[in-house]
């Protein structure tokens, strides 16, 4: 269960961390009853008729074998393997954060941690003037005023086209360019699909976007702009340049970002609750932002997670 | 027309219509082959068809004006009965008369071959267009697609729907209605209201008790042995005005039993016990016959002493009040009028002979051997109530009848107010809110979404299916039903989802297909039960029966590669309907292909693709002439 760590631990810390992980794996083995398989393992299907072989499975010599390492899942007669550590696989409706890498005719290409670049068409996003209309050649020429290369943007997965390319859409005020914050990359499997991926952490004045593709955005809170854009756009632009993010908020952003880094380094699932929890803990125990990634707090976080899971387990058993 | 193969040119529909078209006569209805329909439409627009016989389909959507529109009838069959045309339909159809730029005026001819009330005629010809009402309804597919988007909040969608808008707009009207009704109710003032109320309640109680007793005594197992021909029975007869009467004793007359029979209800299963079924009794009595029109007669039972014809009528058991001990001899032949008249004379004689203390009745307990505790209890309570009535002060008031009537009206008004208020409440709340909740519950129960409303694997499959019942198809897919059957069988099974018409004499599909169909019905029943458990309002049987196996055989043959005229021989449906069904089938197959892709089942995906290839050929998918 040990993950690649970049922290140097002293002897006692090492022992404590090992004990914590031991606990976790104990609890984990109690809780999950799923069958773990690795590549080419046979999946027992007791010869029922009409077994459906889903993702991560294949048929060989009349037997169902796994093609990835993971947990066997069954839904009625469908058998599939949920990979433990896999690349991000988009599904329709996922919220993703990505970086623009290329501007092509009528489209932006985004790097989103998938096996191919995603496509955001000019027509599948709202224009800055908020008017619904056909996109003209002028709009196409002005594409760089909306997003430039290396901009970080947030969008939703619209679906796969017939040619297999992945299309995104950003038809909402909350999608679009992300500024004044940090982009973090974590393994995509740590981010679980939820009802909510946009979070406004009011006590910190920070926006948190947990992209399903493992890109996480921590940035200054922005008030969603009104649909009718103000006419004197230039003056607002100037205002923006002049205004700056206050130091306190910058610190908060860093604190949250470090919490995310810490949780992902420990290999725990990333959720808002976990992030806030960690950030609060660091604040209450007076850990400096820069020390959050240090050895001591690292071990403490692991131990806190153990406590949390134990109490959860107790609650479940009543 | 050269698009069609030689075989298809020989289809009866094609070869029959050609000579007609050559003479400038056309036919247009929804059962035509699409290509024929288009040919006729184009010919009509070119002015090459001088006379077109068309159904209502022609009046909607297409821009096909004519000089003259002729209605051959003013009634139309709408599925269960012939009704007058609605004004909206009339506007649509008559509006086709007159071509812009060609005709001075359009001519519309109505062929009326029966009597038409002026008011209905006025409604039809001068009425306004049909109201635009929202037919919006929730579907699981919509719900799932909303749920898997980040900001997709189904409630928000509902709140902005036209349906909600209409409900909101109806609110002030309802309020006004409540106000008016309340005013009306309050304007009714009755003296001594309390004691009247008391009396009224007593009366109600008395009635319900009487009814209980009646139900017990006239349960078929007790009374059937006594329904012999010739027995005198007293009958209820409706008084002239329709308002409920408030006498403690209702008007009765006497009649002679001729026969009794069971009502054969077609819907009822045969295994019901005889006691449960309904009976009618044929009774000879005096009736008033009123002629309403040439074909219809209304028969009303009147009192013996009044004018009327002696007739044998069937009455339900509930209309018989009591049975007497007296039995009369009935002549074998009651057809001649005199025989019946004589019988009634005898009857009135009996009646006048016993006038003093009434015709002796069968005693339920002693004669009819009714043994039941509830009967005895009810009888005792009736006696008690009788005494109460006698004591009641208001009984002797001269205005008692009118007062009771007014009181009754008042109560009815109150009930109405309650009803309107209830509908007001439901429209102030979000329309569909309860249904939304119930449907989410169904999805959770079936494992389409989890407790946090995140769409699961099954939900992803259902998301892809939008043109047929998504739940059942998904369930079938996940139970592996499509896996082991051949492509042709699969196509035939799917045809049940697209075919809705009911055929009377549809041949049963062969055994393998029948087996698949019963599998489908089983799944449908299961899903329907879950939905019912989750309080989604539905009728299980009609839901299960909405899947029709009628065209399975034809579609099976089509997927096997049969010619179109061959499959037409297999079923007695219109060509056009079958083609529509197969086209929809192709759509579903495409969606299922995507669904199979979503769960990563490549074999199934290929199978669906293969099926699409097999059915997408020839006349069914002939390109439209408009393109």
């Amino acid at each position: 269960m040990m993950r690649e760590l970049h922290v140097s631990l002293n002897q006692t810390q090492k022992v404590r961390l090992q004990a914590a992980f031991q606990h976790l794996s104990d609890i984990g083995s109690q809780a999950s009853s799923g069958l773990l398989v690795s590549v080419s393992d046979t999946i027992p299907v007791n010869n029922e008729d009409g077994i459906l072989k889903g993702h991560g499975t294949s048929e060989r010599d009349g037997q169902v074998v796994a093609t990835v390492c993971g947990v066997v899942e069954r839904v009625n007669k469908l058998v599939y393997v949920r990979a433990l550590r896999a690349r991000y696989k988009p599904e329709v409706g996922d919220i993703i954060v990505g970086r623009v890498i290329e501007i092509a005719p009528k489209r932006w290409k985004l790097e989103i941690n998938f096996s191919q670049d995603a496509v955001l068409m000019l027509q599948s996003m709202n224009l800055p003037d908020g008017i619904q209309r056909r996109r003209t050649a002028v709009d196409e020429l002005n594409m760089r005023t909306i997003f430039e290369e290396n901009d970080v943007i947030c969008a939703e997965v619209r679906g796969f086209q017939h040619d297999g390319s992945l299309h995104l859409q950003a038809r909402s005020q909350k999608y679009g360019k992300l500024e004044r914050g940090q982009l973090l990359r974590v393994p995509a499997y740590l981010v679980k699909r939820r009802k909510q991926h946009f979070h406004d952490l009011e006590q910190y004045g920070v926006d948190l976007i947990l992209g399903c593709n493992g890109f996480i955005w921590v940035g200054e809170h922005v008030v969603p702009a009104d649909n009718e854009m103000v006419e004197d756009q230039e003056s607002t632009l100037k205002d923006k340049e002049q205004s700056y993010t206050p130091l306190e908020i910058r610190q908060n952003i860093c604190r949250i970002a470090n919490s995310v880094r810490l949780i992902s380094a420990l290999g725990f699932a990333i959720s808002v609750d976990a992030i806030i929890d960690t950030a609060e803990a660091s604040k209450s125990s007076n850990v400096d932002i820069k020390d959050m990634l240090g050895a001591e707090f690292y071990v403490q976080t692991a131990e806190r997670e153990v406590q949390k899971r134990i109490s959860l387990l107790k609650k479940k058993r009543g | 027309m050269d698009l069609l193969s030689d075989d298809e040119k020989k289809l009866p529909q094609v070869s029959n219509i050609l000579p007609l078209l050559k003479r400038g006569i056309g036919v247009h209805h929804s059962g035509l082959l699409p290509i024929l329909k288009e040919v006729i439409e184009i010919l009509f627009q070119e002015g090459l068809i001088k006379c077109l016989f068309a159904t209502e389909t022609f009046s909607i959507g297409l821009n096909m004006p004519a000089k003259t529109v002729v209605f051959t009838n003013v009634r139309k069959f709408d599925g269960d009965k012939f009704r007058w045309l609605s004004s909206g339909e009339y506007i649509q159809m008559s509006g086709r008369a007159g071509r812009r730029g060609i005709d001075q005026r359009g001519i519309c001819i109505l062929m009326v071959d029966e009597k038409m009330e002026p008011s209905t005629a006025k409604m039809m010809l001068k009425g306004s267009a049909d109201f635009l009402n929202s037919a919006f309804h929730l579907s699981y597919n919509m719900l799932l697609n909303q749920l898997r988007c980040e900001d997709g909040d189904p409630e928000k969608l509902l709140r902005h729907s036209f349906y909600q808008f209409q409900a909101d707009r109806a609110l002030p009207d309802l309020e006004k209605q409540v106000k008016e009704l309340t005013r009306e109710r309050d304007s009714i003032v009755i003296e001594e209201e309390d004691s009247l109320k008391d009396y009224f309640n007593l009366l109600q109680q008395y009635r319900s008790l009487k009814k209980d007793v009646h139900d017990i005594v006239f349960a078929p197992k007790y009374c059937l042995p006594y329904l012999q021909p010739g027995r005198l029975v007293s009958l209820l007869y409706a008084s002239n005005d329709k308002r409920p009467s408030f006498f403690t004793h209702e008007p009765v007359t006497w009649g002679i039993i001729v026969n009794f029979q069971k009502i054969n209800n077609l819907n009822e299963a045969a295994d019901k016990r005889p006691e449960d079924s309904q009976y009618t009794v044929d009774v000879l009595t005096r009736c008033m016959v009123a002629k309403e029109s040439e074909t219809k007669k209304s028969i009303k039972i009147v009192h013996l002493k009044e004018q009327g014809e002696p007739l044998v009528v069937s009455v339900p058991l509930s209309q018989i009040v009591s049975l007497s001990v007296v039995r009369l001899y009935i002549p074998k032949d009651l057809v001649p009028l005199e025989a019946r008249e004589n019988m009634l004379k005898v009857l009135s004689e009996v009646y006048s002979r016993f006038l003093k203390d009434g015709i002796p009745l069968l005693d339920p307990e002693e004669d009819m051997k009714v043994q039941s505790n509830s009967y005895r209890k009810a009888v005792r309570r009736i006696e008690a109530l009788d005494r109460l009535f006698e004591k009641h002060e208001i009984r002797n008031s001269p205005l008692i009848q009118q007062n009771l009537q007014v009181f009754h009206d008042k109560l009815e008004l109150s009930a109405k107010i309650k009803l309107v208020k209830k509908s007001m409440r439901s429209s102030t709340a979000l329309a569909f809110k309860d249904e939304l909740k119930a449907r989410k519950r169904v999805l959770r129960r079936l494992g389409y979404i989890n407790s946090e409303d995140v769409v699961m694997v099954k939900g992803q499959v259902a998301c892809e299916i939008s043109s047929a019942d998504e739940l059942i198809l998904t369930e079938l897919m996940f139970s592996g039903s499509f896996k082991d059957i051949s492509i042709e069988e699969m196509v035939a099974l799917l045809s049940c989802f697209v075919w809705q018409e009911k055929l009377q004499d549809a041949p049963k599909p062969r055994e393998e297909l029948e087996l698949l169909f019963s599998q489908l019905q089983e799944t449908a029943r299961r899903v329907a039960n879950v939905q019912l458990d989750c309080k989604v309002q539905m009728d299980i049987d009609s839901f299960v029966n909405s899947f029709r196996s009628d065209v399975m055989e034809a579609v099976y043959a089509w997927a096997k590669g049969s010619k179109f005229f061959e499959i037409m021989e297999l079923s007695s449906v219109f060509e056009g309907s079958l083609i529509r069904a197969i086209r929809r089938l192709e759509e579903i197959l495409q969606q299922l292909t995507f669904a199979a892709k979503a769960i990563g089942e490549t074999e199934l995906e290929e199978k669906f693709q293969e099926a699409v290839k097999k059915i997408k050929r020839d006349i069914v998918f002939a390109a439209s002439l408009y393109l």
Side-chain angles (χ1 to χ4, degrees), chain B residues 219-238:
Chain B
K221 83 174 160 181
Y222 292 127
C223 74
L224 278 192
Y226 298 93
L227 293 178
Q228 304 107 322
R231 186 174 297 282
L232 292 192
V233 289
S234 61
L235 300 167
L236 279 180
Y237 67 91

Side-chain angles (χ1 to χ4, degrees), chain A residues 203-221:
Chain A
Q203 68 270 45
Y204 299 106
V206 164
D207 274 344
L208 176 70
I209 302 174
L210 303 173
C212 293
N213 57 343
F215 285 15
I216 290 174
W217 177 259
V218 189
E220 185 191 355
H221 177 61

Side-chain angles (χ1 to χ4, degrees), chain A residues 12-209:
Chain A
T12 42
Q13 283 168 340
K14 251 182 207 163
V15 173
R16 278 165 62 198
L17 191 63
Q18 226 135 35
F21 277 135
Q22 188 58 44
H23 266 298
L24 280 180
S25 67
D26 286 351
I27 295 167
S29 62
Q30 281 170 6
S32 72
S33 53
L35 177 64
L36 278 166
V37 289
S38 68
V39 178
S40 88
D41 278 358
T42 315
I43 300 168
V45 285
N46 54 22
N47 294 329
E48 303 160 75
D49 320 328
I51 277 290
L52 297 164
K53 299 183 295 297
H55 293 295
T57 61
S58 179
E59 194 170 311
R60 225 191 146 92
D61 306 331
Q63 283 189 312
V64 183
V65 290
T67 56
V68 291
C69 299
V71 184
V72 178
E73 300 265 358
R74 287 161 200 266
V75 181
N76 295 13
K77 285 200 172 172
L78 172 74
V79 177
Y80 68 96
V81 180
R82 184 166 52 83
L84 282 181
R85 291 180 153 207
R87 190 174 259 283
Y88 169 63
K89 201 178 140 286
E91 276 172 25
V92 178
D94 281 356
I95 305 295
I96 53 120
V97 176
R99 192 186 283 278
V100 179
I101 51 165
E102 190 184 335
I103 297 184
K106 289 184 193 160
R107 73 200 67 198
W108 291 274
K109 291 215 170 149
L110 270 74
E111 143 64 10
I112 59 155
N113 203 17
F114 182 42
S115 51
Q116 63 190 33
D117 291 335
V119 174
L120 175 63
M121 299 293 288
L122 177 58
Q123 71 229 29
S124 52
M125 78 158 294
N126 283 349
L127 292 176
D129 54 6
I131 302 171
Q132 293 279 5
R133 59 176 166 86
R134 266 185 87 102
R135 289 0 174 213
T136 59
V138 182
D139 290 324
E140 211 180 322
L141 287 173
N142 288 334
M143 273 172 68
R144 272 207 174 73
T145 60
I146 306 176
F147 302 135
E148 269 178 313
E149 281 93 341
N150 289 328
D151 275 353
V152 176
I153 61 175
C154 162
E156 185 184 309
V157 176
R158 185 162 158 240
F160 288 95
Q161 292 308 98
H162 279 285
D163 59 356
S165 63
L166 178 72
H167 277 233
L168 306 176
Q169 60 116 339
R171 286 190 178 281
S172 165
Q173 286 302 321
K174 59 183 188 186
Y175 301 140
K177 194 154 154 182
L178 302 172
E179 286 169 307
R180 296 166 193 232
Q182 293 186 17
L183 176 69
L184 307 165
R185 290 167 175 241
V186 300
Y189 57 84
L190 293 179
V191 183
K192 297 276 176 280
R193 290 195 174 83
R194 287 287 159 86
K195 186 88 195 118
Q196 274 280 330
H197 286 270
F198 284 85
H199 300 284
D200 171 17
L201 310 181
E202 276 172 25
Q203 68 270 45
Y204 299 106
V206 164
D207 274 344
L208 176 70
I209 302 174

